[in-house]
Amino acid sequence: MLRVQRASQINGTVRVPGDKSISHRAVMFGALAEGTTSIEGFLPGADCLSTISCFRKMGIEIEQDKDRVTVHGQGWYGLQEPSQHLDVGNSGTTIRLMAGILATQPFHSVMEGDESIAKRPMRRVIGPLRQMGAKIDGRKDGEYTPLSIRGGELQGISYQSPVASAQIKSAILLAGMQANGVTSVTEPHLSRDHTERMLQAFGVKLVRDGLTVSIEGGQKLKGRAIQVPGDISSAAYMIAAVMMVPGSSLLIENVGINPSRTGILDVVDRMGGKIERINERVVNEEPVADLLVTYSELQGIEISGDIIPRLIDEIPVIAVMATQAGGRTVIKDAEELKVKETDRIATVVSELSKLGAKIIATEDGMIIEGPTPLKGAVIDSFGDHRIGMAMAIAGLAAEGETLIENDDAILVSFPGFPDVLQSISK
Ligand code: S3P
């Protein structure tokens, strides 16, 4: 159980763990590349450790010591047929991206995960992979795990994705890497583009044209050194902590500021908060900066449309900030929240209500009225890391003590979160 007390001030200098999306991709691409890939700043969270364990089960040698990882890549077809099921744990990124990789492999494999994974939709990825010629099955005609994949020769397709999802886009592009001809994916809004950037860093050629990415089959990856920046999705909790406690300020060093991820910075800016980007630089095709965050009184706003995929994982903590903002915050076009680790519309609304927030669920988001004084309560993370952390941040502004049950889930993306929070709270 995580205990959080009301804070009178947040300040100091912190670093957050490595980016989850980039850490997964560095291991996957390293395993498929020719030669060695050394990773610094890797996120040793449960999700990324699941990715490592899956590749080890396919014969790839991977050394990991905290945030340093060395992957001994054997080339795209250097994977061996796994003799056991591949356990993806809680990780949607692992199962969906691996589905694209396994669809190209000349062997049979089975992927499964935890209770949450068993409820998450997979046909959004399996459908287009089947169109390319992959033989994939799962419960309810491939909608749910376990997924059984018999890979082989694939044909390139032009796929119009109905949702802006980096996991769908990446799975198809990875399958397209070994398909005949060209594979292209078009999405309705731009989702995070770490796959595109990192494939290019590994020597792959792809073409980006607006919302379409195209890749030619038969390409090779070349192992290299990767430095992973801090995860802006983890920094979001620290930013929100500052905005919850008047008089606070914080320097967050080494944060990835890829424009497909910076919706949180734009939202805080529009709400009236102050975040200065210092020492901007580019590391392995990814923009990075230090963020100097200063408290200001926030105002409610509407958040909808193109920005949603740029902040999808930050919506729980944005809802928390909105409880302390003046007026109404409306979050729309975010039905994807329903198929994350939990139904995050339902879990954010139920848990914030326990703390006394004025929040209601809508079909595609939520509406929050503020500012509202919060009162400590017993909260459930429901096994969802982002719900656990968002509610801990709410606890910083709540009277008395807030208790978070099932806080182990936080290890999925932010090991050390309670210590970091403690170190910046007064
Ligand atoms: C991720 C993509 C996002 C995000 C998830 C990580 C990725 O999901 O929610 O936490 O690493 O590709 P979408 O597939 O909905 O974009």
Side-chain angles (χ1 to χ4, degrees), residues 104 132 154 156 171-181 183 215-218:
T104 66
M132 296 175 82
L154 304 179
I172 299 167
L173 291 175
L174 287 167
M177 284 263 315
Q178 300 308 327
N180 296 320
T183 296
I215 198 162
E216 193 154 346

Side-chain angles (χ1 to χ4, degrees), residues 20-22 24-25 93 96-97 120 124 164-168 170 191-192 194-195 309 312-313 336 340-341 344 385-386:
K20 179 156 78 70
S21 295
I22 297 177
H24 279 299
R25 288 159 172 80
T93 306
R96 297 207 179 102
L97 270 60
R120 298 183 67 183
R124 47 177 54 202
S165 157
Q167 294 176 356
I168 299 176
S170 303
S191 67
R192 63 191 66 192
H194 303 298
T195 294
I312 189 72
D313 291 342
E336 274 295 296
K340 294 295 175 186
E341 285 82 331
R344 287 185 179 155
H385 55 133
R386 303 213 184 276

Side-chain angles (χ1 to χ4, degrees), residues 194-241:
H194 303 298
T195 294
E196 295 90 310
R197 288 172 188 252
M198 201 187 288
L199 282 177
Q200 286 174 315
F202 273 81
V204 171
K205 292 201 171 63
L206 48 83
V207 179
R208 300 183 64 171
D209 180 12
L211 296 170
T212 302
V213 193
S214 308
I215 198 162
E216 193 154 346
Q219 299 199 52
K220 286 184 177 162
L221 297 143
K222 205 167 160 339
R224 54 163 299 153
I226 294 281
Q227 282 168 294
V228 182
D231 197 325
I232 191 167
S233 296
S234 298
Y237 302 102
M238 304 299 133
I239 294 170

Side-chain angles (χ1 to χ4, degrees), residues 189-190 260-268 270 301-312 315 318 332-333:
H189 306 284
L190 184 68
S260 65
R261 297 285 299 282
T262 48
I264 176 71
L265 304 184
D266 299 349
V267 157
V268 170
R270 278 171 53 211
I301 55 169
E302 181 181 306
I303 304 168
S304 59
D306 266 6
I307 198 170
I308 295 294
R310 297 178 52 232
L311 48 65
I312 189 72
I315 291 178
I318 289 172
K332 286 203 241 181
D333 303 325

Side-chain angles (χ1 to χ4, degrees), residues 241-312:
V242 170
M243 298 303 158
M244 296 299 281
V245 185
S248 298
S249 73
L250 191 64
L251 179 65
I252 316 172
E253 292 176 330
N254 192 40
V255 182
I257 52 160
N258 178 320
S260 65
R261 297 285 299 282
T262 48
I264 176 71
L265 304 184
D266 299 349
V267 157
V268 170
D269 182 57
R270 278 171 53 211
M271 292 176 89
K274 218 175 134 211
I275 304 178
E276 209 182 317
R277 301 177 191 200
I278 306 171
N279 193 13
E280 287 193 45
R281 56 225 185 245
V282 175
V283 182
N284 309 133
E285 327 273 326
E286 290 280 355
V288 179
D290 303 331
L291 303 178
L292 180 59
V293 188
T294 312
Y295 172 84
S296 296
E297 241 175 68
L298 302 183
Q299 289 305 314
I301 55 169
E302 181 181 306
I303 304 168
S304 59
D306 266 6
I307 198 170
I308 295 294
R310 297 178 52 232
L311 48 65
I312 189 72

